[in-house]
Amino acid sequence: MENKNELAVKEENNFVIPTGNIEIDTEDLDGLTISFDKISIPSGGGQMWELPGMENPDEPEYSKEIEGVIVDHYPVNAYFEEEYNGQAQPPACSSMDGKLGIGEPGGACANCPLNKYGSADDGKGKKCKNLRRIYILRSGEILPLLVTLPPTSIKNFSDYISKRIVTKGMKACDVVTKMTLTVEKSQTGIKYSKVQFAVARILEPNEKAVMREFSNNIKQTTRLQRVDETDNSVLD
């Protein structure tokens, strides 16, 4: 049965929010797997996001901020036997919920020695990467972008969700979130980028209803996106 895209929108504060049912036309996707454009945290303390070009993904666009509705987010863990060197390398072990690892060594992540501080080659961090996936739906679009947060940005996100969203009686998909980048320095003096989060606007009741339904539906797809070699390139 063919689904019709019945996307009705309105514009407020330069952000287009769906006000009708969001349904993806699945005819052209028959036999195919939905994937999401992935946005990486820039290296070297960069403060510009590199976004896929609207017409040509090989001609990226750059922006100081990403603004949209967070329709899903969850932890993932990934253990790679070798550090990222530009070559495709699947994880030896990964977890889609940050709790149970599949692969080698596998098992409960909380008890895994590779998920303990001091297990990394530098003797300080973890050998296993603790990451956070964020799916953010931008203005006028019907598929979210995937932003994978490194450990250095997870605390900022945790504070944002707990202090600005949950304690206000809201869900992440009830607001328009703005993500920007700041420059930080490691203990060894290396610059890196840290993601900052802010509420750009609280959605109206009718908008919340639409986005909550969309969030529930899209999770059937976002939660199936496996950890792969691209997650090895996420900087710590």
Side-chain angles (χ1 to χ4, degrees):
M1 180 176 178
E2 181 180 343
N3 291 330
K4 297 298 183 181
N5 181 353
E6 300 174 351
L7 181 64
V9 299
K10 76 173 183 178
E11 188 169 349
E12 183 171 331
N13 295 335
N14 297 319
F15 194 94
V16 179
I17 291 290
T19 57
N21 294 330
I22 306 176
E23 296 182 1
I24 300 173
D25 191 330
T26 59
E27 181 178 359
D28 286 339
L29 293 173
D30 187 25
L32 302 177
T33 301
I34 295 179
S35 62
F36 301 89
D37 284 328
K38 297 181 178 181
I39 309 300
S40 301
I41 311 298
S43 60
Q47 292 182 270
M48 298 288 286
W49 295 97
E50 183 178 301
L51 305 171
M54 186 66 67
E55 297 181 358
N56 186 349
D58 294 327
E59 297 179 358
E61 301 173 355
Y62 296 88
S63 175
K64 289 185 177 181
E65 62 186 43
I66 296 178
E67 192 171 279
V69 176
I70 296 176
V71 294
D72 194 15
H73 63 89
Y74 55 89
V76 297
N77 290 342
Y79 164 59
F80 296 88
E81 295 180 327
E82 303 292 337
E83 291 188 4
Y84 183 69
N85 58 9
Q87 302 297 317
Q89 176 195 174
C93 182
S94 63
S95 170
M96 288 298 295
D97 59 4
K99 298 178 181 179
L100 179 64
I102 304 298
E104 182 62 39
C109 295
N111 300 327
C112 181
L114 301 179
N115 196 34
K116 304 295 184 182
Y117 286 104
S119 61
D121 294 338
D122 62 4
K124 297 179 181 180
K126 298 181 178 182
K127 191 72 172 178
C128 181
K129 289 177 177 282
N130 296 161
L131 310 171
R132 188 93 190 179
R133 285 182 168 175
I134 296 177
Y135 290 84
I136 185 165
L137 185 68
R138 293 193 297 169
S139 176
E141 299 186 354
I142 59 174
L143 277 182
L145 298 173
L146 169 55
V147 180
T148 301
L149 296 183
T152 50
S153 290
I154 291 179
K155 184 180 185 304
N156 279 359
F157 183 71
S158 177
D159 287 346
Y160 172 68
I161 291 296
S162 62
K163 298 176 182 178
R164 301 291 177 261
I165 306 298
V166 175
T167 56
K168 308 298 182 183
M170 298 186 296
K171 295 179 176 292
C173 60
D174 289 343
V175 306
V176 177
T177 295
K178 180 184 295 185
M179 300 194 306
T180 55
L181 297 163
T182 58
V183 182
E184 303 286 344
K185 276 189 178 181
S186 68
Q187 294 180 348
T188 57
I190 298 175
K191 290 183 178 180
Y192 66 93
S193 302
K194 181 180 285 189
V195 185
Q196 303 289 335
F197 303 87
V199 174
R201 179 167 75 85
I202 298 176
L203 301 184
E204 298 296 333
N206 62 317
E207 297 172 329
K208 288 182 182 180
V210 172
M211 295 314 300
R212 285 192 179 195
E213 181 180 3
F214 178 80
S215 175
N216 288 333
N217 292 336
I218 199 68
K219 287 177 182 178
Q220 300 176 31
T221 302
T222 55
R223 298 299 173 105
L224 296 178
Q225 302 298 307
R226 295 182 178 179
V227 176
D228 60 27
E229 61 273 6
T230 63
D231 291 294
N232 197 17
S233 63
V234 178
L235 301 176
D236 294 332

